Amino acid sequence: WAIAHFGSSVQYTSRIQALGDDAGYLYAGAFVFSFMVGFLNKFPMVYKSQVIKSGPGSLNSNMQIFKVLSPAGPQLLPYIVLEEDGTVGEYNRANRSLFHFNENVASIIVNIVLAGRVFAFPVFILICVFCFGRLLHQIMYAEGGYGKHAPGFIIALLVDSILEGLVLFIAIVIFSGWAF
């Protein structure tokens, strides 16, 4: 709302009206899709807190935990996890950050394309801020470990939420006929 209200509201209203009445379904669908991507990526956290404890020696960069299968039946072998230390740990964390990006990028792209149709300049700024956040996330996670990536994560998450909100806002304006 703030971007629409404090930005070029006449231009934004004109662009939304030019989309047509049925475009509201496209924007509402994009919001639902984006929300689902976010939910799917956050849902495993419910279980992660039960499996992976925080603190020194934490296994937070592990997306999965494996066990060794034996044709002879269950064995008391340790679980297999990602190496956290040294250059190999940096490599693993850098790739974990890349996987995190891949897990979330679909909704980002949908929201950029749709929100950018109406709010081109604000979306350009949001893209730049998102890229900064993701670069910060990857570098700090690889070089600093779990927790150091938080500023980049928060920046990217905030931009993701704003883009998602812009798409929902456009759908609401189309459905309601509201002029801002």
Side-chain angles (χ1 to χ4, degrees):
W1 179 83
I3 290 173
H5 182 72
F6 295 111
S8 302
S9 59
V10 172
Q11 186 178 34
Y12 298 152
T13 299
S14 173
R15 287 179 185 166
I16 290 174
Q17 289 170 344
L19 293 172
D21 293 341
D22 62 343
Y25 296 108
L26 176 63
Y27 281 82
F31 173 79
V32 170
F33 176 77
S34 181
F35 183 84
M36 180 268 313
V37 169
F39 178 86
L40 292 177
N41 277 285
K42 293 170 187 75
F43 183 72
M45 299 302 289
V46 171
Y47 304 103
K48 181 178 180 179
S49 64
Q50 298 170 27
V51 175
I52 298 175
K53 306 302 178 203
S54 58
S58 172
L59 304 173
N60 278 304
S61 64
N62 286 271
M63 300 170 286
Q64 299 153 339
I65 298 176
F66 301 92
K67 71 177 186 176
V68 177
L69 287 179
S70 170
Q75 295 181 1
L76 299 175
L77 297 173
Y79 289 113
I80 300 170
V81 296
L82 293 173
E83 173 64 64
E84 291 277 331
D85 297 325
T87 305
V88 173
E90 291 172 339
Y91 173 77
N92 284 338
R93 289 189 302 275
N95 276 300
R96 175 61 189 111
S97 180
L98 176 60
F99 275 94
H100 184 265
F101 173 75
N102 291 339
E103 293 162 356
N104 290 281
V105 73
S107 63
I108 297 289
I109 292 170
V110 167
N111 290 329
I112 285 172
V113 170
L114 294 178
R117 182 82 175 93
V118 174
F119 303 107
F121 181 70
V123 168
F124 168 72
I125 298 300
L126 290 169
I127 291 168
C128 293
V129 173
F130 177 81
C131 291
F132 170 76
R134 287 304 309 171
L135 291 167
L136 186 63
H137 181 284
Q138 181 136 2
I139 293 166
M140 296 306 292
Y141 195 30
E143 294 181 0
Y146 188 80
K148 303 292 186 199
H149 70 299
F153 176 80
I154 291 168
I155 290 168
L157 182 63
L158 180 63
V159 169
D160 184 17
S161 299
I162 293 169
L163 288 168
E164 192 175 75
L166 287 173
V167 168
L168 178 60
F169 177 79
I170 294 166
I172 290 169
V173 170
I174 290 172
F175 287 136
S176 70
W178 177 56
F180 45 92

